[in-house]
Amino acid sequence: MQKNKIYIKSYGCQMNVYDSNRILDLFKNQNYEIADDPKEANLVVLNTCHIREKAAEKMYSDIGRINKLKRESATKNFKLVIAGCVAQAEGEEIKLRAPSVDFIVGPQSYHNLPNMLKTNDSILSDEFTQNEKFKNLIYNSSGGVSEFVSIQEGCDKFCSFCVVPYTRGPEFSRPVNEIVIEIEKYLKKGAKEIIFLGQNVNAYHGIGGDGKSKDLSYLIDKVSELENLKRIRYMTSHPIDMTDSLIKVHKSNHKLMPFLHLPIQSGSNKILKEMNRKHNVDFYKKIVEKLRDERSDIALSSDFIVGYPGESDKDFDDTMKFVNDINFVIAYSFIYSQRPGTPAQKKDNIPLAEKKARLSALQSLLREQQKNYNKSFVGKKMEILFEKKGRHTNQFIGRSIYNQSVFIKSESNLINKIIDAKIINSTDFALESSV
Ligand code: SAH
Ligand code: SF4
Ligand code: F3S
């Protein structure tokens, strides 16, 4: 009998990467092998993203390609699964637009997938059953130096542009002991770093061993008791959940890395209000001040949307001024994309050329800040955790405590080693070091 083989493609954020790993673990447990190419597989899973229009379109064009494989392998019992956020948001529409899809499963119900395949009786599973999901998943380490751990899911914030509250459901936090058990598994396989994931990771409020609700600062301190764990990071945070206890833990806990991804989206109070972000620019600046008081070297990163409906030249200038004031070490920026079902959907009044011009101006300012930041380390020593091999012979890639990518040449294998390395060169996006 031919062996079952699964191929999975992940779109979108790190939470999808984590989910894809869990889906692979579920099917490995059913004796599936992992295929590196969809051509070799008889089960193809597209783990999709709905955040911007382009991401969702990509799924439909990939379905077209997979259909061709499906037709060519009529004898292979070939199944196509659409998982992730598009499955959740547009399950019914996918059924109509792409009848070749066999199963549709949302981000909070994919633990049902092996069963759905066996019974073949359900095409759509889109319940928000977070609790049940995490209990039924399998957590095998990929053997990586750094491992993602989803600790929180969903969002209750309802920013007016964003689909996440509809695709991932309400905020949910996993219990502390479940998270510790998962991390211990990864540490046994040699992991040194854990990256806590959540759509609003700092809204974490899981149940502790004493039956009481615990916040993220508690969880960070708790897992840092695990001796083999050397580095802790978390993403993505919302400014209104940046509590004083979380800010303080950046000083008191040395395993917590001095890097924070804290999206603001815009530097204009008017636009922040329109976006329903629940805070203004001063509120964000105050958090940065408090963070820098506790940990002066903390590296800050953010997300921005340009061309939001009603964004005037002045609003955009405010964003540029804000970026100049804060000085980000890296940041991501996007052109506003109208999303179905969101309150901002109907409004989109900035011409594309203007949006593109603003994006380009913002990105060059951000790139300049990143370049200067990286340059400031040349000649200094930094603690780097090396994670993988680079493209060139004897080259290894790691990350600094500030999350920069660092390249090094070495005759000996540096993977999974923490080294105090000298930075000898910098580019816009990375650092080069020597032992
Ligand atoms: N939970 C996080 C991030 C969610 S999505 C937060 O609250 O910040 C990641 C990023 O995608 C967002 O920070 C935002 O910058 C961008 N994004 C979300 N919806 C978008 C849309 N409709 N158009 C363009 N960018 C969007
Ligand atoms: Fe989306 Fe806002 Fe929730 Fe972030 S906080 S996931 S941007 S709704
Ligand atoms: Fe995309 Fe869903 Fe993540 S919409 S960004 S995959 S939470």
Side-chain angles (χ1 to χ4, degrees):
M1 208 175 83
Q2 223 182 0
K3 201 112 182 74
N4 283 322
K5 284 193 177 180
I6 177 172
Y7 171 84
I8 191 159
K9 176 170 173 182
S10 213
Y11 312 64
C13 66
Q14 284 89 347
M15 301 207 65
N16 260 12
V17 174
Y18 178 85
D19 292 342
S20 292
N21 287 335
R22 300 289 75 76
I23 292 174
L24 289 178
D25 283 345
L26 285 169
F27 282 97
K28 273 194 250 168
N29 201 41
Q30 306 278 328
N31 285 322
Y32 275 70
E33 280 177 8
I34 297 176
D36 297 325
D37 191 312
K39 281 196 204 96
E40 294 157 15
N42 63 337
L43 174 63
V44 170
V45 181
L46 304 181
N47 197 13
T48 59
C49 172
H50 200 237
I51 203 83
R52 284 170 289 273
E53 195 180 353
K54 268 207 186 112
E57 269 170 13
K58 184 108 199 26
M59 178 200 77
Y60 284 107
S61 66
D62 283 348
I63 289 179
R65 254 191 301 277
I66 304 293
N67 266 342
K68 196 164 166 275
L69 292 180
K70 200 173 176 182
R71 280 195 301 274
E72 285 164 6
S73 68
T75 53
K76 255 195 352 189
N77 188 26
F78 189 108
K79 299 285 183 208
L80 171 58
V81 177
I82 304 299
C85 290
V86 187
Q88 187 68 38
E90 297 182 2
E92 294 295 337
E93 202 180 319
I94 296 170
K95 272 205 269 181
L96 293 173
R97 260 183 81 176
S100 62
V101 170
D102 298 287
F103 299 94
I104 298 170
V105 67
Q108 308 304 5
S109 59
Y110 64 77
H111 57 287
N112 296 327
L113 203 44
N115 224 10
M116 285 164 74
L117 257 85
K118 270 188 204 141
T119 55
N120 210 15
D121 62 357
S122 166
I123 178 164
L124 180 65
S125 176
D126 61 357
E127 300 286 305
F128 288 139
T129 49
Q130 287 93 326
N131 202 0
E132 218 181 285
K133 177 182 83 172
F134 282 112
K135 283 197 169 59
N136 284 289
L137 291 178
I138 295 169
Y139 306 91
N140 282 329
S141 164
S142 61
V145 173
S146 175
E147 294 273 5
F148 291 135
V149 178
S150 277
I151 61 165
Q152 184 279 342
E153 285 237 23
C155 179
D156 297 337
K157 306 284 190 295
F158 292 91
C159 300
S160 46
F161 52 82
C162 182
V163 293
V164 171
Y166 315 99
T167 63
R168 293 269 169 174
E171 288 182 4
F172 169 83
S173 300
R174 295 172 69 193
V176 172
N177 69 337
E178 224 180 76
I179 295 166
V180 172
I181 291 168
E182 184 179 342
I183 295 176
E184 279 172 335
K185 279 192 174 185
Y186 301 153
L187 296 179
K188 255 194 211 134
K189 284 279 183 75
K192 286 214 165 64
E193 177 180 272
I194 290 297
I195 306 176
F196 286 143
L197 298 181
Q199 271 90 22
N200 277 283
V201 74
N202 58 342
Y204 176 84
H205 57 273
I207 297 292
D210 58 2
K212 292 194 183 123
S213 169
K214 304 292 176 192
D215 67 5
L216 183 58
S217 65
Y218 173 92
L219 185 69
I220 289 168
D221 280 340
K222 180 82 191 163
V223 305
S224 67
E225 287 166 11
L226 300 166
E227 209 187 306
N228 293 334
L229 180 60
K230 303 297 178 201
R231 289 181 165 196
I232 304 167
R233 302 179 189 274
Y234 61 93
M235 67 190 298
T236 296
S237 297
H238 192 289
I240 64 166
D241 293 315
M242 219 49 228
T243 58
D244 286 347
S245 61
L246 184 55
I247 292 172
K248 286 213 165 68
V249 90
H250 274 280
K251 179 177 187 170
S252 60
N253 191 317
H254 294 288
K255 290 189 179 179
L256 180 61
M257 293 292 103
F259 174 88
L260 178 65
H261 182 59
L262 191 64
I264 184 165
Q265 315 298 352
S266 168
S268 150
N269 283 334
K270 183 188 101 192
I271 296 296
L272 287 178
K273 195 153 194 278
E274 294 274 316
M275 287 176 162
N276 191 29
R277 284 292 290 183
K278 301 175 171 62
H279 62 84
N280 59 20
V281 172
D282 279 349
F283 183 89
Y284 188 100
K285 284 187 171 167
K286 188 90 201 145
I287 293 168
V288 171
E289 205 179 294
K290 283 194 213 167
L291 278 162
R292 286 178 172 158
D293 279 350
E294 298 295 341
R295 179 87 210 214
S296 59
D297 62 336
I298 192 157
L300 295 169
S301 143
S302 200
D303 289 346
F304 294 91
I305 294 177
V306 300
Y308 188 79
E311 184 188 71
S312 64
D313 287 346
K314 153 112 185 28
D315 295 321
F316 179 66
D317 282 350
D318 286 349
T319 297
M320 295 291 277
K321 267 193 219 108
F322 170 80
V323 170
N324 265 315
D325 286 351
I326 302 285
N327 219 346
F328 290 100
V329 305
I330 188 170
Y332 307 90
S333 42
F334 313 97
I335 284 180
Y336 168 68
S337 170
Q338 285 193 80
R339 303 310 293 127
T342 60
Q345 185 198 352
K346 296 272 169 325
K347 312 172 236 162
D348 190 12
N349 60 359
I350 313 287
L352 185 62
E354 182 58 38
K355 285 177 179 162
K356 284 188 176 165
R358 287 179 190 174
L359 184 72
S360 150
L362 176 59
Q363 289 188 336
S364 50
L365 173 60
L366 290 167
R367 198 172 317 119
E368 193 61 25
Q369 292 191 339
Q370 187 176 6
K371 184 171 106 186
N372 292 338
Y373 182 69
N374 286 341
K375 217 191 226 167
S376 71
F377 291 95
V378 176
K380 292 183 184 155
K381 281 203 148 186
M382 273 178 120
E383 197 189 80
I384 319 293
L385 169 57
F386 286 96
E387 292 180 14
K388 55 187 179 199
K389 280 195 133 195
R391 268 191 298 136
H392 303 291
T393 339
N394 294 338
Q395 188 190 46
F396 296 91
I397 308 174
R399 262 175 311 126
S400 74
I401 57 172
Y402 307 111
N403 214 34
Q404 297 141 299
S405 290
V406 185
F407 292 81
I408 199 165
K409 282 246 170 190
S410 163
E411 303 275 312
S412 58
N413 184 359
L414 297 184
I415 293 175
N416 214 357
K417 294 207 165 65
I418 295 178
I419 290 171
D420 229 2
K422 187 168 179 193
I423 305 303
I424 51 172
N425 208 351
S426 77
T427 66
D428 290 6
F429 305 108
L431 299 173
E432 194 189 327
S433 67
S434 69
V435 189

